[in-house]
Amino acid sequence: MKKILIVEDDRRIAQNIFRGLAAENFEAEIAYDGITGKQMALEKKFDLVLLDVNLPGMKGYDVCQQIRIYKPSLPIIMLTAFGEIEDKVEGLNSGADDYIVKPFDFRELLARVNAALRVSDLLNPENSDKILRIADLEMNLGTKQVKRAGNIIDLTAKEFALLEYFLLHRGRVVSKMDLAEHVWHLNFDPGTNVVEVYINYLRKKVDKDFPTKLIHTRPGMGYIMKEE
């Protein structure tokens, strides 16, 4: 279970984020000021930090810089009500990996969290040969190799990303909106069929020639990867 530190002085926002992350099976802790947030980030083990900019005690930019000195690989996403380019540049220059402007939809925040964690996992030497599996299908995140029943399956970069998302969420229904936002990083357009097209591509490669199908459609809800 990934652990996330929320550094946010607005208690309502902090609690809303906390509940949303808990519902997505993340473990989270909250700091309501910059000094406490910095101490927690440096003293405890977290997989990601959600960091507000306008904090009492110590500004978010300064907290970010301090974290970067001692934990250069810890992903940091900055949260702020300021949407000007200069503010975004300052946040990124202080060491943030991403930047999201309030008010935001929790789905967008979740997509950015998952994207940052994926990058962090792939860059972590300990995970260079991490394997994702279901039934006789396996994906090596280090070598980018996919096999089913021992047979190598050639995927495009987008097909690989789509299959990775399914494997990371195996056993759970994911909507077309989820896939569009997390795999293509786009706002979902109900008029596009890009998700269906790539689902079809993927099925032909990982399901068509095998007796056990793994990618299933749930009408009106989306798709699920499971043995069935």
Side-chain angles (χ1 to χ4, degrees):
M1 182 180 290
K2 297 290 187 180
K3 189 172 183 179
I4 296 176
L5 173 62
I6 305 163
V7 189
E8 167 64 67
D9 65 317
D10 187 314
R11 292 177 180 268
R12 180 184 61 83
I13 293 175
Q15 290 294 332
N16 285 341
I17 295 174
F18 181 91
R19 287 191 291 268
L21 292 174
E24 295 293 328
N25 296 316
F26 289 102
E27 183 179 352
E29 293 187 26
I30 301 174
Y32 294 107
D33 64 82
I35 294 174
T36 303
K38 183 195 74 170
Q39 291 173 339
M40 291 176 66
L42 297 182
E43 295 173 3
K44 297 185 177 184
K45 186 181 185 303
F46 291 98
D47 296 291
L48 182 140
V49 177
L50 295 174
L51 178 62
D52 186 31
V53 168
N54 192 20
L55 292 166
M58 187 176 188
K59 296 299 181 184
Y61 298 134
D62 298 324
V63 174
C64 186
Q65 290 173 345
Q66 288 295 307
I67 294 173
R68 276 287 164 262
I69 292 172
Y70 299 101
K71 294 188 175 182
S73 62
L74 179 60
I76 300 172
I77 299 176
M78 301 205 79
L79 315 174
T80 182
F82 307 117
E84 297 297 327
I85 293 298
E86 291 78 8
D87 299 308
K88 295 181 180 180
V89 169
E90 184 173 357
L92 295 171
N93 284 341
S94 67
D97 297 280
D98 202 353
Y99 197 105
I100 187 166
V101 178
K102 303 174 187 176
F104 49 79
D105 189 303
F106 180 75
R107 292 171 299 175
E108 180 182 1
L109 177 64
L110 182 62
R112 291 173 183 264
V113 165
N114 284 327
L117 289 172
R118 280 199 303 273
V119 171
S120 177
D121 284 344
L122 292 174
L123 293 177
N124 187 343
E126 295 179 0
N127 296 332
S128 60
D129 291 318
K130 182 177 180 182
I131 306 293
L132 300 178
R133 290 188 179 90
I134 184 171
D136 56 355
L137 175 70
E138 67 176 41
M139 168 183 280
N140 188 310
L141 297 179
T143 64
K144 298 293 189 292
Q145 188 177 75
V146 175
K147 293 182 181 179
R148 181 145 194 206
N151 300 304
I152 295 176
I153 299 174
D154 292 322
L155 300 178
T156 66
K158 194 57 67 178
E159 290 166 350
F160 186 95
L162 179 59
L163 180 59
E164 179 188 2
Y165 189 79
F166 272 127
L167 285 166
L168 290 171
H169 296 82
R170 54 193 175 275
R172 295 173 55 190
V173 174
V174 293
S175 67
K176 288 194 292 184
M177 180 183 296
D178 291 330
L179 295 172
E181 291 181 351
H182 298 164
V183 178
W184 281 268
H185 306 295
L186 298 171
N187 291 327
F188 181 64
D189 178 1
T192 182
N193 67 342
V194 65
V195 174
E196 290 94 333
V197 168
Y198 273 85
I199 292 288
N200 188 45
Y201 290 159
L202 199 57
R203 278 175 163 155
K204 287 180 179 178
K205 294 185 177 183
V206 305
D207 268 351
K208 182 180 178 182
D209 298 327
F210 301 92
T212 301
K213 308 308 178 188
L214 300 176
I215 303 172
H216 307 276
T217 301
R218 292 292 183 263
M221 294 184 288
Y223 305 91
I224 184 171
M225 173 162 274
K226 61 183 293 187
E227 294 182 67
E228 190 173 286

